[in-house]
Amino acid sequence: MGILNVTPDSFSDGGRFIARDAALARAEQMLADGADMIDIGGESTRPGAPPVPLDEELERVVPIVEALRDVRAPLSVDTYKPAVMRAVLDAGADMINDIWGFRREGALDVVKNSNCGLCVMHMLGEPQTMQLHEPMYEDVVAEIRAFFAERVTTLTQGGVSAARISLDPGYGFGKTVEHNYQLLAHLAATQPAGAAFPLLAGMSRKSMLGAVTGRGAGERLAASVAAAVCAAERGAAIIRVHDVAETVDALKVWQATKEAAANGHH
Ligand code: 7PJ
């Protein structure tokens, strides 16, 4: 899953049309580089980032969905606002990626009346404040597994078929560095008992990588690729990244190794 940020601060300047053209070119490039899905986001949810007003998010995201509908790669939209969900589904989006896990008022009502995929992400607290107070868990893996189980029950009882759901532990969303690595090491154990939902992992360029490499946000490519391989090895079905070409190469090597292992040795 290739990340497409359509926030104005992700592009130099020059207004909406230049931002739009740059976003479309970026999406085409990620698909050429081997992305299977594009995740379009109009609001930065990095810790402490200011919220974006509804009208502004709609203006950023809906034209991009409309323009990309024809590329026929699955389109996901990273939003927690029900009004944005409704608008992008009307515009042809295939998946809603919700950092709030469809817990906010109205979110379930929108998605249940469509056939879109859902990415249910775990977050402790909310983006403005989640990293200000030390996040605490008794057992982070068990708590995220319980959260997923509750979400799946609520969503399926609310009319969303289980086949539409994928789960994401939400790296960096109300977690310490140690929590994040626990959730990477034990990713498969976050799966609710007896279930087999696709697991999504998004660690690209995040501070958990800076914490162990000492590198700033702009120099975490190798660490991001390593994290992607670790996540794949531990059962991630979807990996959300900025650097598609490099990640796809690494995953091809991982895949070839896995296939050789499955073939036994001669
Ligand atoms: C995630 C996300 C993530 C899912 C962001 C960033 C922050 N959606 N949206 N999982 N992160 N599903 O990319 O650094 O980890 S925004």
Side-chain angles (χ1 to χ4, degrees):
M1 171 186 270
I3 300 169
L4 186 66
N5 287 318
V6 287
T7 52
D9 52 329
S10 16
F11 303 102
S12 35
D13 46 29
R16 250 176 233 295
F17 290 106
I18 289 172
R20 193 168 301 175
D21 287 350
L24 298 179
R26 179 96 191 96
E28 298 282 2
Q29 184 62 54
M30 290 194 290
L31 294 170
D33 288 344
D36 293 321
M37 195 187 309
I38 301 292
D39 187 40
I40 303 161
E43 174 176 324
S44 170
T45 46
R46 78 195 139 62
V52 174
L54 171 62
D55 287 352
E56 174 64 23
E57 193 179 338
L58 285 168
E59 275 189 62
R60 290 180 190 177
V61 163
V62 174
I64 302 292
V65 173
E66 287 171 344
L68 283 177
R69 211 169 20 200
D70 305 327
V71 306
R72 271 335 324 158
L75 299 179
S76 162
V77 175
D78 186 345
T79 188
Y80 56 81
K81 295 189 184 81
V84 175
M85 295 179 188
R86 180 170 293 122
V88 298
L89 290 171
D90 288 345
D94 303 283
M95 179 172 184
I96 302 294
N97 170 26
D98 184 356
I99 63 165
W100 280 91
F102 303 89
R103 286 179 289 152
R104 289 168 70 100
E105 179 83 46
L108 170 55
D109 280 330
V110 172
V111 293
K112 84 168 173 213
N113 293 315
S114 83
N115 201 27
C116 67
L118 285 71
C119 177
V120 175
M121 199 194 81
H122 175 273
M123 169 170 64
L124 180 67
E126 44 189 288
Q128 275 70 53
T129 53
M130 64 192 174
Q131 298 299 123
L132 293 182
H133 314 285
E134 185 86 331
M136 290 212 263
Y137 302 85
E138 290 252 335
D139 178 339
V140 69
V141 173
E143 282 172 57
I144 274 127
R145 180 170 59 239
F147 170 82
F148 287 160
E150 180 282 320
R151 287 285 78 209
V152 165
T153 302
T154 302
L155 291 168
T156 53
Q157 286 179 356
V160 173
S161 76
R164 295 169 55 192
I165 297 174
S166 53
L167 304 174
D168 180 345
Y171 295 101
F173 286 84
K175 282 113 189 162
T176 63
V177 172
E178 196 184 345
H179 294 140
N180 287 316
Y181 282 98
Q182 283 288 316
L183 289 168
L184 177 53
H186 304 290
L187 177 61
T190 64
Q191 187 78 248
F197 295 98
L199 297 172
L200 193 152
M203 291 174 280
S204 189
R205 301 182 185 172
K206 284 187 178 174
S207 63
M208 64 182 283
L209 307 176
V212 302
T213 59
R215 296 199 183 272
E219 42 180 26
R220 295 177 186 159
L221 173 58
S224 297
V225 171
V229 173
C230 289
E233 182 69 21
R234 285 159 179 78
I238 305 169
I239 307 190
R240 182 181 177 277
V241 301
H242 300 89
D243 302 289
V244 173
E246 293 85 348
T247 309
V248 167
D249 274 4
L251 291 175
K252 281 179 176 167
V253 173
W254 169 78
Q255 184 99 43
T257 308
K258 204 168 68 124
E259 281 165 15
N263 291 337
H265 72 94
H266 311 284

